[in-house]
Amino acid sequence: MERHCLSLLVENNFGVLARISGLFARRGYNIDSLTVGTTQDDNFSRITMTVTADEQTLEQIKKQLNKLINVIKVIELKQGEAIRRELVFIKVKANDQTRSRVVEISNLFRASVVDVAKESLVLEITGTLSKVDAFLNMIEPYGIIEFVRSGVTGLQRGKHQIGC
Amino acid sequence: MIAAKLIWKCLERENVTTIFGYPGGALLPMYEALRQSSIEHILVRNEQAAPHYASGYARESGKVGVCLATSGPGATNLVTGIATAYLDSIPIVALTGQVNRDLIGTDAFQEADIFGATTPFTKHSYLVKDPLDLPRIIREAFHIASTGRPGPVLIDIPRDLQEENIKNVKFVDKVNIRGYKPTYEGHTGQVRRAIRKIKSSKRPVIYAGGGVRLSYAQDELLKFAEDTGIPVITTLMGIGAFPEDHPLYCGVVGSHGFEYSNKIMEHADLCICIGARMSDRGTTNNVANMNNMELIHIDIDPAEIGKNINDTNIPIVGDAKTVLLELMSKDIKKDTQDWLKTIEMIREDFPILFDANTELDGINPKLLFDAVSDIVPDDTTLVADVGLNQIWAALYFKIIKNRRFFTSGGLGTMAYAIPAAAGVAFATREHPKTILAVCGDGSFQMCMGELGVIAEHHLPVKIIMINNHKLGMVRQQQHDNYGKNHYSGTDINFDVDFMEIAKAYAIKGYRASTNEEALDAIKDALAQPGPTLVECQVNEDFIHI
Ligand SMILES: Cc1ncc(C[n+]2csc(CCOP(=O)(O)OP(=O)(O)O)c2C)c(N)n1
Ligand SMILES: [Mg+2]
């Protein structure tokens, strides 16, 4: 089963998010991440979600989403055709011995240090899933205290648009 | 104008003449305003029945049925009926009162989140927050309920909002919902492929579902079947999509269908599924050969295609009637003589077993429904409940000409038949027709209070109750799954005197213990202008084979 990234244009209405999450729970689809935000038009919101599903289930997910009256459009953000990024904050242990090494790795990944304390650092990184995963891997040995991921969001490249 | 009045005005503009409701605190302003409206309110006896009345009304009239309940317990009582309409794609609008807007979310008196509770089984729903939205929301609700794949829509209306005064009321005629544009016409390329496939197939069957009836495509289906010579099998919901006295008619498919129908499915090399979802119920007992069968799937709901059967060879999203006309726009004549001969052999090998269980005393319900078919008019509507009584009515009562058969096929909701049959009666008050409500002793007792409505309005509903003193269908399943004497909780231990019940409601009652008695009683009942109850004693061991 593969991971797919879907982008939805929805009416900015009461209950839309509940309908969508209810649909996934009810039909047993797996959501890996979900983000919601406003768009250039106040009447609409944009939802980006990543799901793990085989081709047939993915087809059903798209059709079931399209069936919701408040959902205006569903597109798939495919690798290559779209920019897909995630924002992650990582609080990692860092003392006088390790701090500079952590900062060095962060620089390699173009992550930035957004908080410095005696025993820890908070790092911020934006990137594709694989970049974020690779970074987390590198940081792990230093002792991750906690991290938080925004979920993937994305936009199609070039002249394509979801159309509001 | 006060919003409560505006609501009724909007409903009048939707040509609503009758609604089925039950009042309460959160509806006080609406009931006060209702006094000035042309709409007739039918007081149901339990909100649980209200969506079923609306469903029967909608199925008979082709209009949207409307039901109404107060906030909290009134609204939650609607839940089963809304889900029933959803699973059978019946167009109804459910209006519910809600607590004042500033109380929402505080667990106020009689507050229940009915919007949230019903999202899984409404086609769409609204919680009205601004009275100015009412005309648009009501217009949209009726549009959504009745177009595309029909279904229930809920509108939740807070009490304080009903009391607001609105200046400059603007009614809405045109709907424009960006996320809702049902497809009626089939994709021309797929239609062309389907025609080729139909022509090259050797053993095609048409598998007709409730969608054919919802699209009123019976005439088109008849012509299509006759032009191509392709036999027609229906699902439970599809009963009435094709005349049962036609030579190409091949019965009802599925877990409770005819054995010969399921066998025919197994021999087919092409299934033309129209307005059905290839559900578990429809395909049990015949999927064995699905691998060797190709599938053309015609449905107005794209999500139905590929949902239950993975490899649809030719998907056609569109309205049954429109797509059938498109298929018939080309020459589709073909020779199916050999296949029809095979089918004749299958029919002979798996005959309909009228004489099973004949050693038992009491009424043989199969023969009874067969005989009732011969004495009722050609435009009779039969509403069947759920249980053995339903299966017998579905399989042995013949739906021919303009007869109609309604039942709760998708959710299998007991206590559907009596209120739905009453809904049919309300829809046909100007031109009364024969309406049969078939139910069991279990389902009858689940909605007995609704007899009050039937009696009050003197509705010509002829109830045929199959009294086997048991929750028969579940009892049979206990027997089939676990063996004899594994009955549990399916005995209705108190013997109700149903004749006294009928009398209490001023309904003419008959009790019959033989087929002759039952048929005589039904004949007499048909001659009565008002409601009747015919109680048919059926042996508890009479089962469905
Ligand atoms: C509301 C509801 N509760 C329970 C069931 C499960 N059920 C299906 S058939 C049946 C028995 C119905 O008994 P009765 O109405 O006497 O009909 P019979 O099968 O005996 O003809 C039951 C309990 C159901 N379908 N609906
Ligand atoms: Mg019974």
Side-chain angles (χ1 to χ4, degrees):
Chain A
M1 283 203 286
E2 249 181 88
R3 237 189 205 184
H4 305 272
C5 184
L6 298 177
S7 184
L8 282 63
L9 183 68
V10 303
E11 277 176 42
N12 186 7
N13 255 349
F14 164 81
V16 180
L17 196 58
R19 281 182 208 279
I20 291 172
S21 54
L23 174 73
F24 274 71
R26 191 158 69 243
R27 297 198 183 264
Y29 307 142
N30 292 319
I31 305 185
D32 299 320
S33 75
L34 184 138
T35 71
V36 196
T38 53
T39 66
Q40 67 278 19
D41 184 333
D42 287 343
N43 295 314
F44 304 109
S45 308
R46 194 81 183 250
I47 295 178
T48 314
M49 49 171 50
T50 51
V51 298
T52 305
D54 57 29
E55 276 305 317
Q56 197 211 340
T57 313
L58 181 69
E59 254 331 281
Q60 263 300 306
I61 291 175
K62 288 190 206 162
K63 284 173 168 179
Q64 294 292 349
L65 284 169
N66 268 314
K67 231 173 120 163
L68 297 176
I69 311 278
N70 297 138
V71 173
I72 292 160
K73 198 145 183 203
V74 181
I75 57 168
E76 195 174 343
L77 297 178
K78 292 198 174 131
Q79 182 144 35
E81 295 167 9
I83 304 132
R84 304 185 298 193
R85 296 283 186 276
E86 186 176 27
L87 169 70
V88 183
F89 290 116
I90 306 144
K91 190 179 285 174
V92 55
K93 285 186 194 153
N95 54 29
D96 292 343
Q97 279 88 54
T98 55
R99 191 172 296 114
S100 60
R101 309 254 295 283
V102 173
V103 172
E104 203 176 306
I105 296 169
S106 301
N107 286 340
L108 283 173
F109 280 84
R110 297 213 196 114
S112 41
V113 179
V114 287
D115 181 66
V116 184
K118 254 201 183 134
E119 298 294 326
S120 67
L121 290 172
V122 176
L123 311 173
E124 175 192 331
I125 182 169
T126 308
T128 59
L129 282 177
S130 54
K131 177 177 167 187
V132 168
D133 286 342
F135 182 60
L136 282 168
N137 243 345
M138 292 297 289
I139 291 295
E140 228 226 296
Y142 296 92
I144 294 174
I145 300 165
E146 60 178 337
F147 68 81
V148 59
R149 307 175 75 136
S150 66
V152 175
T153 189
L155 207 60
Q156 287 166 295
R157 293 180 186 275
K159 63 181 192 305
H160 298 288
Q161 61 173 80
I162 200 163
C164 308
Chain B
M1 191 190 300
I2 181 170
K5 184 172 176 187
L6 173 63
I7 294 168
W8 295 121
K9 285 256 170 278
C10 291
L11 292 176
E12 285 165 16
R13 290 171 65 91
E14 299 295 334
N15 296 319
V16 174
T17 54
T18 312
I19 59 156
F20 305 96
Y22 210 92
L27 287 177
L28 282 177
M30 276 180 69
Y31 271 84
E32 168 61 14
L34 176 62
R35 300 191 306 121
Q36 316 284 317
S37 167
S38 65
I39 294 173
E40 182 185 10
H41 174 264
I42 307 297
L43 178 70
V44 303
R45 299 305 194 256
N46 182 335
E47 292 95 345
Q48 199 178 288
H52 300 331
Y53 283 91
S55 164
Y57 184 92
R59 291 169 93 159
E60 183 65 37
S61 66
K63 288 167 53 175
V64 175
V66 184
C67 60
L68 172 67
T70 192
S71 69
T76 52
N77 266 351
L78 294 181
V79 165
T80 304
I82 292 173
T84 304
Y86 183 73
L87 274 260
D88 288 343
S89 308
I90 308 300
I92 66 170
V93 167
L95 304 169
T96 47
Q98 184 51 278
V99 300
N100 290 355
R101 278 166 290 183
D102 60 347
L103 288 177
I104 291 180
T106 66
D107 300 320
F109 178 65
Q110 294 198 327
E111 181 188 3
D113 176 11
I114 195 64
F115 178 99
T118 55
T119 35
F121 37 77
T122 42
K123 184 169 172 187
H124 196 50
S125 46
Y126 298 90
L127 168 59
V128 191
K129 291 189 162 168
D130 182 344
L132 290 174
D133 290 337
L134 280 166
R136 175 186 58 82
I137 287 177
I138 294 173
R139 183 74 272 279
E140 285 184 6
F142 278 78
H143 175 74
I144 291 170
S146 59
T147 52
R149 178 180 185 173
V153 178
L154 176 115
I155 310 177
D156 200 18
I157 312 171
R159 173 180 168 161
D160 64 316
L161 183 147
Q162 298 168 31
E163 286 168 326
E164 255 189 61
N165 225 337
I166 307 163
K167 296 194 192 79
N168 303 324
V169 169
K170 280 201 196 74
F171 288 105
V172 172
D173 290 318
K174 276 233 150 46
V175 215
N176 183 18
I177 310 166
R178 284 201 50 190
Y180 180 67
K181 302 263 157 36
T183 308
Y184 287 84
E185 276 159 37
H187 184 277
T188 43
Q190 300 290 28
V191 169
R192 226 176 299 129
R193 281 182 60 208
I195 292 172
R196 275 202 298 274
K197 182 67 73 193
I198 290 167
K199 288 195 118 173
S200 66
S201 67
K202 295 252 176 332
R203 298 182 306 281
V205 290
I206 295 164
Y207 178 103
V212 175
R213 302 169 60 200
L214 289 165
S215 140
Y216 295 94
Q218 285 95 332
D219 292 346
E220 289 72 18
L221 178 62
L222 181 63
K223 188 165 184 327
F224 177 70
E226 286 180 343
D227 283 2
T228 53
I230 301 178
V232 181
I233 293 179
T234 77
T235 63
L236 180 69
M237 290 300 291
I239 291 176
F242 197 74
E244 296 184 8
D245 52 355
H246 195 282
L248 289 170
Y249 175 70
C250 288
V252 180
V253 82
S255 53
H256 294 277
F258 288 114
E259 204 175 359
Y260 82 89
S261 312
N262 286 323
K263 289 288 175 229
I264 293 169
M265 280 295 288
E266 280 176 25
H267 281 81
D269 68 348
L270 174 67
C271 173
I272 307 162
C273 172
I274 313 176
R277 49 193 147 128
M278 306 297 292
S279 72
D280 50 336
R281 272 255 159 157
T283 52
T284 318
N285 298 356
N286 59 50
V287 271
N289 220 19
M290 221 49 140
N291 292 338
N292 302 328
M293 190 176 73
E294 294 194 273
L295 178 64
I296 298 174
H297 197 162
I298 302 164
D299 205 291
I300 197 156
D301 179 357
E304 282 310 333
I305 294 171
K307 187 179 82 179
N308 294 329
I309 304 282
N310 287 357
D311 26 34
T312 306
N313 304 80
I314 304 176
I316 304 180
V317 176
D319 168 55
K321 188 186 210 133
T322 314
V323 173
L324 278 167
L325 288 170
E326 286 164 351
L327 289 172
M328 289 189 285
S329 66
K330 298 269 152 47
D331 172 35
I332 43 163
K333 296 242 170 350
K334 65 186 270 116
D335 180 6
T336 54
Q337 283 312 314
D338 287 346
W339 172 221
L340 293 178
K341 265 181 218 138
T342 313
I343 287 180
E344 273 325 300
M345 272 151 58
I346 298 174
R347 269 190 219 265
E348 280 164 29
D349 288 348
F350 300 94
I352 297 174
L353 301 169
F354 278 109
D355 50 0
N357 302 127
T358 38
E359 74 288 357
L360 302 171
D361 61 352
I363 290 167
N364 176 333
K366 298 180 185 177
L367 291 173
L368 178 64
F369 284 116
D370 190 59
V372 172
S373 307
D374 295 334
I375 60 167
V376 294
D378 286 341
D379 65 345
T380 297
T381 294
L382 185 147
V383 189
D385 213 280
V386 169
L388 292 176
N389 62 87
Q390 169 194 39
I391 305 305
W392 290 323
L395 299 186
Y396 301 100
F397 180 85
K398 284 193 218 61
I399 298 294
I400 50 168
K401 305 270 170 50
N402 295 320
R403 288 186 188 165
R404 289 172 165 173
F405 175 81
F406 303 151
T407 195
S408 161
L411 199 67
T413 306
M414 281 173 68
Y416 176 77
I418 289 177
V424 172
F426 281 114
T428 51
R429 269 183 298 179
E430 260 114 75
H431 310 279
K433 62 187 298 194
T434 300
I435 303 161
L436 304 177
V438 172
C439 62
D441 48 319
S443 42
F444 182 85
Q445 292 184 68
M446 214 182 243
C447 60
M448 235 155 54
E450 304 310 320
L451 294 180
V453 176
I454 290 174
E456 177 189 343
H457 297 273
H458 204 61
L459 301 176
V461 172
K462 316 294 171 189
I463 301 171
I464 301 178
M465 186 221 292
I466 298 297
N467 187 1
N468 50 10
H469 306 268
K470 296 286 178 287
L471 300 177
M473 178 178 267
V474 179
R475 185 175 183 268
Q476 173 171 354
Q477 288 165 354
Q478 292 173 340
H479 177 276
D480 295 350
N481 280 286
Y482 308 114
K484 222 175 167 35
N485 300 325
H486 282 255
Y487 302 130
S488 174
T490 44
D491 219 326
I492 305 183
N493 275 322
F494 185 77
D495 229 339
V496 181
D497 187 339
F498 290 113
M499 293 303 103
E500 287 296 320
I501 300 274
K503 199 168 144 213
Y505 283 102
I507 290 173
K508 186 158 189 203
Y510 310 78
R511 182 180 279 140
S513 319
T514 65
N515 278 53
E516 291 78 53
E517 279 173 24
L519 206 57
D520 283 346
I522 291 168
K523 275 183 193 152
D524 193 80
L526 291 173
Q528 306 296 324
T532 58
L533 169 66
V534 179
E535 177 192 349
C536 301
Q537 298 291 341
V538 172
N539 191 292
E540 61 190 34
D541 288 326
F542 208 110
I543 54 168
H544 162 57
I545 326 176

